Amino acid sequence: DESRYGQPSMSRVRLFPALCLSLVALLHLMPAQADAAATSRPPEWAQPVEVQYNLFQMSPTLYRSALPDGGAVPLLKNLKVATVINFLPEADSRWLSEPGINQVQLPYRTNHVDDADVLKTLRAIQAAEANGPVLMHCKHGSDRTGLMAAMYRIVVQGWSKEDALNEMTQGGFGESGHFKDGVRYVMQADVDKLRTALANGDCSTSAFATCSMKSWFQSVNLK
């Protein structure tokens, strides 16, 4: 609005300083909010170690990451990693030749995962942890690694599905679109059956799983 003499009205004159003050206050508030977000990561979630490799520490003996390369070997040695578990079909021998680090290859796909895959991985992690810290990885460190990390949290560490899924999908490990198949598996997983199978040394929660039938036929042939 303008006054009769073509000059800005007093209401607009008074409004401009108020808008400036509001903008200044907002600019000061934004860094504070960013700092708060950066420091609000739950302490029980995996903590970042090296951004380049999407490397996080889940526990004193377990790490997760994307596919490392030869440049990561000094870091792994510094972290005293004794075993690397790989969920990819390509072997880690392409980048890892350190004799003091064991290599375990357990390839799988999240859209075809079953209880046998999970039990095999959890058993491998537990066995390897007895020898020192373990790193598990896939290509990006989000979907395949994220699913096994969530199942480790739930089955081994006793987390609720909700808490494990929150870490999996909101922990900053990758794009949320990668988690669809993993979330579906976690939601339908029978945790009690998985814990029982893990404790009993069973390869699956089902007697009709391929690995279970294979074991049964082998036992029959031995007789």
Side-chain angles (χ1 to χ4, degrees):
D1 298 331
E2 291 190 351
S3 66
R4 291 173 13 185
Y5 303 101
Q7 298 297 324
S9 66
M10 290 302 295
S11 62
R12 179 176 293 183
V13 171
R14 287 193 296 268
L15 182 61
F16 182 71
L19 287 173
C20 288
L21 287 173
S22 298
L23 181 59
V24 170
L26 180 62
L27 290 174
H28 280 288
L29 181 61
M30 287 172 64
Q33 290 177 329
D35 290 342
T39 59
S40 63
R41 184 180 186 83
E44 64 273 16
W45 282 10
Q47 299 299 312
V49 176
E50 175 54 65
V51 175
Q52 178 183 352
Y53 300 110
N54 202 16
L55 175 62
F56 288 77
Q57 183 174 21
M58 292 180 58
S59 77
T61 55
L62 186 59
Y63 295 86
R64 55 174 293 172
S65 77
L67 175 64
D69 55 30
V73 174
L75 174 60
L76 298 185
K77 291 174 66 177
N78 187 53
L79 295 173
K80 296 182 172 26
V81 169
T83 304
V84 173
I85 298 177
N86 172 18
F87 300 128
L88 298 172
E90 300 82 17
D92 279 333
S93 56
R94 296 176 303 159
W95 64 271
L96 180 61
S97 58
E98 185 66 29
I101 301 179
N102 297 320
Q103 298 179 37
V104 177
Q105 190 170 7
L106 300 173
Y108 85 98
R109 294 171 58 185
T110 53
N111 59 344
H112 289 108
V113 67
D114 59 23
D115 291 350
D117 293 316
V118 172
L119 287 167
K120 191 184 299 183
T121 297
L122 296 183
R123 198 164 281 128
I125 292 172
Q126 289 183 315
E129 284 178 316
N131 300 316
V134 178
L135 169 70
M136 59 179 174
H137 77 83
C138 54
K139 185 174 183 179
H140 301 293
S142 56
D143 53 351
R144 279 169 280 200
T145 300
L147 171 56
M148 291 305 175
M151 295 311 298
Y152 180 90
R153 294 295 202 197
I154 296 166
V155 177
V156 177
Q157 295 187 319
W159 285 30
S160 69
K161 287 185 178 182
E162 181 182 6
D163 288 342
L165 286 173
N166 283 339
E167 181 191 36
M168 174 183 175
T169 59
Q170 302 173 33
F173 306 113
E175 294 295 327
S176 59
H178 294 168
F179 304 124
K180 179 180 65 175
D181 294 319
V183 169
R184 185 185 300 117
Y185 173 83
V186 171
M187 291 301 295
Q188 61 82 37
D190 189 320
V191 178
D192 290 335
K193 284 186 177 181
L194 284 165
R195 286 194 181 121
T196 299
L198 185 64
N200 293 342
D202 298 332
C203 69
S204 178
T205 57
S206 171
F208 301 102
T210 302
C211 64
S212 299
M213 295 298 290
K214 189 175 181 180
S215 297
W216 183 82
F217 280 119
Q218 287 176 340
S219 65
V220 169
N221 290 334
L222 287 175
K223 293 177 183 178

